[in-house]
Amino acid sequence: SGPGAQCSAPRVSSFWAMAFKWRQLRRFLPVVYVVVGYGASVWLSLCARNRFDGALKIDATTSMFLQGLIKWTSLAVVVSLLLHLFGVHVAGIDGLLASLGIAVGLASQRVLQNLAAGITLMLFRPFKIGDKVVIMSGGGAPVEGYVKDILLFETRILTPDKRLISIPNAGVYDGGPIENLYGSKQRRVQILVQTAGLTNITDARRVLEQAIAPYAYLAEE
């Protein structure tokens, strides 16, 4: 009773109003956490890529592979922290995911083959991004073009007529010989020269040899 009681009533009501608003806002916290976590993972991958391309001078193939690895690893850490924050037992989920992964792996062995072939391509490096290659994919028609991406499950080839072809890595690695046209700094080519029927072959040969004489050193390398 008195002025003190009259002043405390608005304060109590404002406190409960703020508490109610905070309770309402907490519903949106998971969305905020997911957005911030995803943004942080993208930021980390971009920073790593700038570092790889800048000071470390890592080639584009390895840089893109490591960038994706960092991105998805950081996302996995964010999801694990969110689950722990909301009281979900991560160990039980990990066991469930491991069991589910084994079941999915047994049901889709081709996916595991592509994954294993992708890791093998990254380790042995028969080609890199930007190389021009000819790939015999699974006994079909050979695919010729420039390597655009080397991913864990597939390799993307950009053909000279601007078609983007995705080849499963198992088909790349097990399909047959892989011809890397950029494997050497120089390439030897054969040119068919046609002459008239009455042309003296000896004279024609001498003219051709004179034409290529300035470049004879290329044959020795």
Side-chain angles (χ1 to χ4, degrees):
S1 61
Q6 294 178 359
C7 293
S8 63
R11 294 179 182 177
V12 172
S13 60
S14 62
F15 171 78
W16 286 111
M18 292 178 60
F20 178 76
K21 291 181 179 180
W22 171 247
R23 187 176 180 182
Q24 294 294 109
L25 290 176
R26 286 187 61 184
R27 298 179 180 180
F28 300 97
L29 284 181
V31 178
V32 175
Y33 290 150
V34 170
V35 172
V36 173
Y38 180 79
S41 65
V42 173
W43 178 78
L44 284 175
S45 63
L46 292 177
C47 289
R49 182 177 182 181
N50 293 333
R51 184 70 175 176
F52 294 152
D53 298 341
L56 298 180
K57 301 296 182 182
I58 298 178
D59 61 278
T61 303
T62 306
S63 176
M64 292 184 64
F65 178 80
L66 293 178
Q67 181 187 1
L69 184 63
I70 292 173
K71 177 181 177 181
W72 292 110
T73 302
S74 58
L75 279 177
V77 172
V78 170
V79 172
S80 178
L81 292 176
L82 286 176
L83 292 176
H84 180 73
L85 181 64
F86 290 103
V88 181
H89 296 287
V90 180
I93 293 181
D94 290 342
L96 178 62
L97 291 177
S99 302
L100 182 61
I102 294 175
V104 172
L106 293 176
S108 56
Q109 296 182 4
R110 189 65 178 177
V111 176
L112 294 180
Q113 291 177 1
N114 291 328
L115 176 60
I119 295 175
T120 304
L121 290 174
M122 291 298 303
L123 291 177
F124 292 98
R125 308 291 294 275
F127 49 78
K128 62 182 182 299
I129 293 178
D131 284 354
K132 187 176 183 180
V133 296
V134 180
I135 297 177
M136 303 294 297
S137 176
V143 177
E144 179 177 352
Y146 297 90
V147 180
K148 186 173 180 62
D149 289 310
I150 303 175
L151 305 178
L152 284 178
F153 297 98
E154 65 180 11
T155 298
R156 296 174 180 173
I157 306 296
L158 185 64
T159 63
D161 55 351
K162 304 303 179 182
R163 291 180 298 135
L164 185 62
I165 300 178
S166 298
I167 307 175
N169 285 334
V172 175
Y173 193 74
D174 300 331
I178 300 174
E179 183 179 0
N180 189 344
L181 302 179
Y182 283 3
S184 176
K185 295 182 180 179
Q186 299 174 351
R187 290 178 57 192
R188 179 174 296 179
V189 296
Q190 296 181 354
I191 301 176
L192 181 63
V193 178
Q194 296 182 349
T195 61
L198 299 178
T199 302
N200 188 296
I201 300 300
T202 303
D203 294 340
R205 183 182 181 89
R206 185 176 65 254
V207 171
L208 292 175
E209 290 177 349
Q210 292 175 355
I212 65 173
Y215 310 100
Y217 66 93
L218 295 176
E220 300 175 358
E221 298 183 359

